[in-house]
Amino acid sequence: MRISVKAPAKINLTLDVLFKRPDSYHEVEMVMTTVDLADRVDLMLIEKDEINLDCSASFVPDDVRNHAYKAAMLLKERYGVKQGVHIYIDKQIPVAAGLAGGSSDAAATLRGLNRLWNLGLSLDELAEVAAEIGSDVPFCVYGGTALARGRGEKLKHLAAPPPCWVVLAKPPIGVSTAEVYGNLRADQIKEHPPTEKMLQAIGQQDFGLMARSLGNVLEEVTLPRYPQVRQIKELMLESGADGVLMSGSGPTVYALVQKEAKVYRIYNALRGFVKDVYAVRILGEAELEVLA
Ligand code: ATP
């Protein structure tokens, strides 16, 4: 038996760091939403009682370092599952890009194996396992749009943001999330994002307010180090984007665009500059369907 599960990327509409905690994690506050750029995770029952994994991107680890592998391992251990699984990841989301690709693969694996192994777990129960894998994984279990606090695992679900286009561009560099957080001085942040305004924009379906309320404190670390990230932001604005922001710890930058006519102008301007450019829609609502 085999099933396929969609694993969408996320973007941060806001990302704030409130303080550094005694356990050395950062206390964050962020609004996240899923976009229609997704990996596909295929799960297949196998004879042997083991987990094995293949990924279409050869540089992604295929062992326990892979978040999807870890998800299967944790679920298997916690619920005493005696069946094996083969995991195949068709990678479409750029890696180490600030789009939670690995986290979303893990979340899709949890949702899919819940079905394949007949575990009957709720999304809340899956989110508990997810928190052991990484801070963004619980959000990815539910998908949709949420305000995340704590390390990212305390979630308040939100309505879908006003519909719009998202043009994503990733410069050819990989950024380590741990390194970016490590270089952030939480007590010296110059500008915190207007999280309350973002929540208001979503509540009132006000696209203009949403585009004006984007903010990510990690730009203070990543922008000075990688000039390309700033250049992409500027190019997007010059080409008519309504709002631009770096997602997560970067280096992917996205533009929010309301009018379809502008999307291809921005897309084409960026294609002359970087290879990895995508024009997609905000999903907004949770899309957790098993594909086949
Ligand atoms: P996040 O926002 O969750 O930190 P990201 O978009 O910054 O995610 P990922 O694409 O998840 O970054 O990759 C981060 C690292 O995790 C990579 O360097 C990769 O080696 C490792 N990794 C583990 N599992 C996966 C996976 N399934 N897909 C991609 N990378 C993975």
Side-chain angles (χ1 to χ4, degrees), residues 60-61 65-67 89 91 94-103 105 136 177:
V60 170
R65 289 168 298 166
N66 193 299
H67 301 324
I89 301 171
K91 200 91 202 128
V95 176
L99 299 171
S103 301
D105 293 345
D136 286 344
T177 305

